[in-house]
Every structure is written in structure tokens, then in C-alpha cells.
Amino acid sequence: MASVVVLGAGVVGAATGHGFSHHGHEVTFVDIDPLRVDSLCSEGLNATTTLDLGGASFFVFVALPTPSAHGSGYDLSHFVAGLKDLGRALGMASERHTVVVRSTVPPHTCDQVVVPILKRFSGELAGRGFFVAHAPAFLREASA
């Protein structure tokens, strides 16, 4: 089975992680909200506020909030902040990881935002030090 890290344990991240866990994969949820982490731990799930990519090769599912900015697109500030942390963690990792973007983002975000940030903060190149994929979530807002 695969080792999976879910970065962001809101509606999309929780649904993603629960699904992988249900099918026997080793899932670690990472979220900045200690209450959310405690809730997941009380369900018997592995959750933490600290992103650590040491050890085995992982799939990292990025499910960070990208709220609608009322007609002017998406607010990517939380998403970008999380990518910077992820880039730093990738730079310290001994194995290559596949980063899968689950967050709702505008077209071309992977090429124009995700890859450059991960490259800058990890010191690695996409396709060599890490891989990037996009598997957008298609959920009704605030439900899974």
C-alpha cells in the first residue's frame, strides 16, 4: 500500500484522506488547525500540524483552501503559503514525492504557480526531485 500525506484536512482533504485510509493506505493528515488535528486523531487517524516528508516515498495531496474572491477568481494565499512549506519539506526529503493538487485552482496553476514555488523552495526540479499532478476535487461546496 502507498504512503499518503494530505496537506489540508478541510472538506476536500478529509474526504481524500478518509478514502485512502479506508482502502488500506497509510495516511497522514497535516493541518495548521490543532482542533482539526485532534478530531482526526480521535478517529484513530494519523494527523499532525508538522509537515515531515522523511522516510518512504509519498504521494502528497494538496487540499488547501482556495476560497472564491467574489467574482475576481480565487484567493490563493493559503494555497501558496502551504506550497512554500511543502517545497521546504521536499528539499529536505531523501526520496522523490509526487505532489497531487486537489484544491480548486484556476487553469494553468500547476505550471505557473505550483511548479515554480516547489522548485524555488525545494531547490529541486520537477520531474527529477519531485513530480506534480492535478486531480481536482469535484465536490459540492462545503460537503463531501
Side-chain angles (χ1 to χ4, degrees), residues 11-106:
V11 173
V12 172
T16 300
H18 278 98
F20 280 111
S21 181
H22 177 74
H23 289 286
H25 298 284
E26 179 186 328
V27 176
T28 300
F29 293 90
V30 180
D31 199 283
I32 62 170
D33 183 349
L35 294 175
R36 192 173 287 158
V37 168
D38 289 345
S39 176
L40 290 165
C41 289
S42 72
E43 295 177 41
L45 297 165
N46 186 17
T48 181
T49 57
T50 306
L51 179 59
D52 180 5
L53 300 179
S57 182
F58 289 107
F59 290 95
V60 181
F61 286 82
V62 179
L64 297 168
T66 55
S68 175
H70 303 294
S72 62
Y74 297 98
D75 175 359
L76 299 180
S77 58
H78 298 290
F79 182 76
V80 167
L83 289 175
K84 290 176 181 178
D85 289 341
L86 177 55
R88 288 182 197 98
L90 288 169
M92 298 177 66
S94 59
E95 300 285 334
R96 288 186 281 184
H97 295 71
T98 299
V99 175
V100 183
V101 176
R102 293 280 292 154
S103 300
T104 302
V105 294

